[in-house]
Amino acid sequence: MAMGGTGVASAKTVHSVQYNPSLLSGGDESDDFGLLLPQVGGYVADEDEFIDSADAFSEADYISPFDDALSAIETPLNTIQTLIGQIEGETDATQLATLTGQLAAQTVLLTTGTGQLTSATTGLNTGLASISDKALRGGIGGGAGIAIPSKKFSVAISANNSTSFSGVLRVADSDLNTLSAYANGTEQYSIVLQSYSKEADDVAGVAQEIEDEVNGANNATTLLALADTLTAETAELQTATTALDDFEYGTGANGAGNDIFVGGALASGADTLTLNSTVEIIAVAISEIALSISREFTIADRQVAIGVTPKLQRIDAYDYVVSVEDDAETDDISDYGIEDTGFNLDIGASTKFGAQEQGTVGVVIKNLMSRDVDTVNGNTVSISPQVRAGVAYQALGWVNLAADLDITENEPVAFEDPTQFVSLGAEADVLGFLQIRAGFRSNLASSGQDVVSAGLGLSPFGIAHIDLGAYTNTSSPEKEAGVVFELGLDW
């Protein structure tokens, strides 16, 4: 990790198993034994900047304006329903005028609140969309191994586990449509209500004129004219009343779904939203027990080391989906897991070059046999062959340089991007007991994923090894960062 993830041509002794088993035969004649116990590490990655988006969502505070807008229309809606019931049964002109005046005032409040709700809903939907479908991933791993390197016949036994996980919030389009439908439905209800309020106010005004005329001049001609006006206004009110009584609106993109308004009033249960958004987490653990064998062969007058690693490989895949409306039950997670065990194989080759054999080139094919595992939710976890080549060079006797390249593009396990890494690394071995390392890695299959790495190694007496490596994204540590520690013996 400290050297950018290189190792196909530069790994030594027990590390060879992880990178290229043929390198077991490429060490010095003095190498007798290697022990790695333990190796542990982990990483987190946020290439889609979900954390930044979530922080921006929180700082923008889309929720408070939405809650305030809901509160702003809740009181007028309740008051309006009460006033409509009182107006329809009122016969006193003065009281009717008072009620219609109150209705007009509440209608204005509802119209104003509806505008606030529309604006707040637009902001909330924009904010929710900004955090949807942005994967957050990470992983942990560990390993141990024993190697007995030799030019003639090398063998190593290793065990390792690599667990990676990806999680994503999927904001359902239906939920965004539902939020928009509440604003749209209330806006349309306000339009119908304004018409009803106007006609009710007109009827109340004519009724008040008739009452004033009766109590005043009581002119028959005037009363007849007012009666005709009242009849016309009453007909208009009846039309507006029918439109209000028949008004319905539901959730969904096309007005379908849960009812919001029924019979000109807020529907029962309209204040309870049923959301379809989910959180999905896919975790894949690959555990391997491997036996690596390597030896050198003479091919075209050149010593070529060939190594194979048959391994028992177990895949545990968890595909956990939970609705945002539900409480996550950790004891149910096992119901979302599957397990598949089988054999697989790594094969590698390497050879030395240079007057003093200070250079090495190597190639490895890992997981030669493809394996597909279907999760409980219909996703497929694929273990496909990975072809990687590398070159290493030892300069000045104490500087080690390395470069690796993925020949194949590697498909993602879950929600992350595909990978095809090119890696560069350097190590300075200071006085044989202090190793200073640095590296760089770039993903050719996706942009914005370049990382730099560094690390230190201590090897007192050239036997015990304590190593630490770390890396981070070149543009932002939040995008990706990882660390590995290991302890081992070589002699």
Side-chain angles (χ1 to χ4, degrees):
M1 179 178 285
M3 295 175 65
T6 56
V8 174
S10 57
K12 299 177 182 178
T13 60
V14 71
H15 294 98
S16 305
V17 177
Q18 298 173 322
Y19 290 94
N20 184 349
S22 71
L23 296 178
L24 282 169
S25 299
D28 296 330
E29 292 288 353
S30 59
D31 292 337
D32 295 324
F33 182 81
L35 172 67
L36 176 64
L37 183 69
Q39 181 188 73
V40 293
Y43 71 93
V44 291
D46 185 19
E47 292 100 341
D48 295 330
E49 300 183 352
F50 171 80
I51 294 176
D52 287 345
S53 299
D55 286 343
F57 179 87
S58 178
E59 291 173 3
D61 193 14
Y62 296 106
I63 303 297
S64 294
F66 184 76
D67 286 341
D68 292 343
L70 287 178
S71 299
I73 68 170
E74 185 177 7
T75 299
L77 276 173
N78 294 332
T79 305
I80 284 166
Q81 299 307 314
T82 301
L83 289 172
I84 290 174
Q86 293 174 342
I87 288 171
E88 292 178 351
E90 185 57 58
T91 58
D92 182 78
T94 301
Q95 183 61 25
L96 182 61
T98 300
L99 292 173
T100 57
Q102 293 175 353
L103 178 63
Q106 293 298 318
T107 301
V108 171
L109 289 176
L110 179 61
T111 301
T112 303
T114 298
Q116 295 174 353
L117 180 61
T118 300
S119 177
T121 300
T122 300
L124 180 58
N125 279 358
T126 300
L128 290 173
S130 72
I131 59 176
S132 179
D133 296 316
K134 292 189 174 182
L136 182 66
R137 64 185 180 89
I140 56 175
I146 299 174
I148 303 175
S150 169
K151 295 287 186 180
K152 297 180 179 179
F153 184 82
S154 304
V155 64
I157 299 174
S158 61
N160 61 77
N161 171 273
S162 175
T163 300
S164 60
F165 63 86
S166 295
V168 66
L169 168 66
R170 299 197 185 279
V171 178
D173 288 341
S174 60
D175 290 349
L176 301 180
N177 293 331
T178 294
L179 293 173
S180 297
Y182 272 77
N184 295 336
T186 307
E187 182 179 13
Q188 294 187 28
Y189 177 75
S190 296
I191 295 172
V192 176
L193 181 63
Q194 288 174 24
S195 177
Y196 174 85
S197 178
K198 175 184 178 300
E199 298 302 335
D201 190 60
D202 289 345
V203 168
V206 175
Q208 186 65 57
E209 288 183 45
I210 292 174
E211 185 174 299
D212 292 343
E213 184 64 29
V214 169
N215 294 330
N218 199 18
N219 184 283
T221 302
T222 302
L223 287 173
L224 285 174
L226 289 172
D228 290 341
T229 302
L230 180 62
T231 299
E233 294 294 348
T234 301
E236 294 290 339
L237 177 59
Q238 184 57 50
T239 300
T241 301
T242 300
L244 185 63
D245 290 343
D246 291 344
F247 181 79
E248 294 186 355
Y249 199 92
T251 62
N254 300 310
N258 296 330
D259 292 327
I260 301 175
F261 289 93
V262 173
L266 198 64
S268 175
D271 57 345
T272 302
L273 291 176
T274 300
L275 301 178
N276 298 312
S277 297
T278 59
V279 174
E280 183 171 4
I281 299 173
I282 294 180
V284 178
I286 301 176
S287 304
E288 298 176 341
I289 298 177
L291 172 66
S292 298
I293 301 171
S294 173
R295 66 159 294 174
E296 284 192 342
F297 298 88
T298 301
I299 301 176
D301 296 326
R302 176 177 291 275
Q303 294 299 112
V304 177
I306 297 177
V308 295
T309 302
K311 54 190 179 181
L312 181 65
Q313 188 177 66
R314 168 172 165 157
I315 303 172
D316 292 273
Y318 292 85
D319 192 350
Y320 187 57
V321 180
V322 60
S323 168
V324 296
E325 295 228 327
D326 298 336
D327 293 328
E329 299 290 343
T330 56
D331 55 350
D332 291 341
I333 293 179
S334 59
D335 297 335
Y336 292 83
I338 57 94
E339 174 268 323
D340 184 78
T341 301
F343 285 96
N344 219 319
L345 182 69
D346 300 342
I347 182 168
S350 59
T351 187
K352 300 282 189 178
F353 67 89
Q356 298 178 339
E357 295 190 339
Q358 65 270 41
T360 304
V361 292
V363 64
V364 64
I365 304 175
K366 303 197 70 174
N367 299 313
L368 193 62
M369 293 173 281
S370 297
R371 297 178 61 196
D372 291 333
V373 177
D374 293 327
T375 70
V376 295
N377 288 311
N379 292 302
T380 300
V381 175
S382 296
I383 305 297
S384 303
Q386 298 175 336
V387 183
R388 190 172 175 93
V391 58
Y393 189 84
Q394 187 176 57
L396 307 176
W398 56 279
V399 176
N400 300 308
L401 306 175
D404 283 5
L405 172 66
D406 284 335
I407 306 301
T408 56
E409 182 176 289
N410 306 310
E411 293 300 316
V413 173
F415 311 117
E416 63 271 20
D417 295 331
T419 62
Q420 186 175 12
F421 292 131
V422 56
S423 302
L424 303 173
E427 175 192 71
D429 192 352
V430 181
L431 301 177
F433 71 89
L434 173 64
Q435 292 79 43
I436 302 172
R437 305 180 178 108
F440 173 80
R441 188 191 73 192
S442 181
N443 186 2
L444 303 179
S446 184
S447 60
Q449 296 184 21
D450 296 343
V451 302
V452 291
S453 59
L456 290 174
L458 292 175
S459 53
F461 309 109
I463 297 177
H465 291 266
I466 303 171
D467 297 288
L468 180 68
Y471 75 89
T472 185
N473 187 274
T474 56
S475 61
S476 174
E478 289 83 3
K479 283 189 174 183
E480 187 173 6
V483 63
V484 164
F485 169 80
E486 67 179 30
L487 180 66
L489 299 174
D490 277 314
W491 70 78

